[in-house]
Amino acid sequence: MKKSNVIITVVLAVVSAFLLWLWYWLGFNEVDSPLDLVVSVVWWAVIAAGVVLVYRSEQKRRRQVRTVYLADGRYYNSEAGLRTVQAPLAAVDAIAVVLGALEYDFSKMDAPDQSKPEERVDWRYVIHTDKFKPARTDDNGNRENETWEGDVVTVATGDTRTFASREELEKLIA
């Protein structure tokens, strides 16, 4: 979660604690009313729902940041921008490097302007990554413990296929 999300959650919790302290300091806890309990339960339910909403929206935003648009010789990611690649299988390695370096900040690189002929890119695939953990390389140069799951959408047909490893992704875009 980003700093702003944590700050909002902490502020809500501090305000809740302050209101609870004020409730007892003013002596309202000695008034016998069942509405007090209902108000308290509703308030904490609102706090919990706010935390869940912030968490889910952050997860959705991170998935959008991990989305990569792939064309022949080029790919685009909202954080990394437009980049070039030499071969289709090299694209998977290049995308893995970009995904491993994501900071998930709120900056966004400009996408190519499709209305200008010199910037127009005919995207072939849209790669949505649900889970990504970069591989570690052992002493022999072999990749190990890599996690890469998501789906690939073929732009021309709208066909969606899922993948659960780097090798499956390479087969889908080859």
Side-chain angles (χ1 to χ4, degrees):
M1 290 178 46
K2 287 302 197 180
K3 188 181 348 179
S4 61
N5 297 340
V6 173
I7 290 172
I8 290 170
T9 304
V10 168
V11 166
L12 285 174
V14 168
V15 166
S16 297
F18 172 73
L19 290 175
L20 184 62
W21 171 80
L22 187 63
W23 185 265
Y24 280 96
W25 187 72
L26 293 174
F28 290 137
N29 61 320
E30 297 173 8
V31 176
D32 190 21
S33 173
L35 182 61
D36 300 343
L37 179 61
V38 172
V39 169
S40 178
V41 167
V42 168
W43 176 252
W44 284 105
V46 167
I47 297 269
V51 168
V52 168
L53 184 66
V54 165
Y55 178 78
R56 293 184 91 195
S57 65
E58 177 65 15
Q59 294 304 319
K60 183 178 177 183
R61 187 188 72 80
R62 285 176 174 251
R63 185 175 192 269
Q64 289 174 344
V65 169
R66 286 191 302 265
T67 299
V68 175
Y69 299 86
L70 181 63
D72 291 329
R74 293 191 273 186
Y75 66 96
Y76 170 77
N77 173 272
S78 64
E79 191 173 301
L82 185 65
R83 297 189 178 190
T84 60
V85 67
Q86 305 304 331
L89 293 183
V92 175
D93 293 331
I95 292 169
V97 169
V98 166
L99 292 178
L102 289 177
E103 295 179 7
Y104 298 103
D105 58 7
F106 289 95
S107 63
K108 187 173 181 179
M109 302 295 285
D110 292 332
D113 188 357
Q114 298 289 55
S115 65
K116 296 179 181 177
E118 66 273 4
E119 290 187 30
R120 182 161 177 74
V121 179
D122 293 324
W123 302 117
R124 293 184 63 198
Y125 302 105
V126 179
I127 303 168
H128 301 283
T129 301
D130 295 325
K131 294 180 184 176
F132 181 77
K133 179 182 155 197
R136 290 181 305 192
T137 307
D138 64 7
D139 295 335
N140 298 328
N142 299 323
R143 287 191 307 264
E144 58 184 30
N145 297 331
E146 181 178 60
T147 303
W148 197 350
E149 298 175 7
D151 61 74
V152 176
V153 178
T154 305
V155 174
T157 63
D159 185 33
T160 302
R161 296 166 294 184
T162 60
F163 63 92
S165 67
R166 172 189 292 262
E167 292 76 21
E168 289 181 20
L169 177 59
E170 286 174 348
K171 289 177 186 175
L172 291 175
I173 67 170

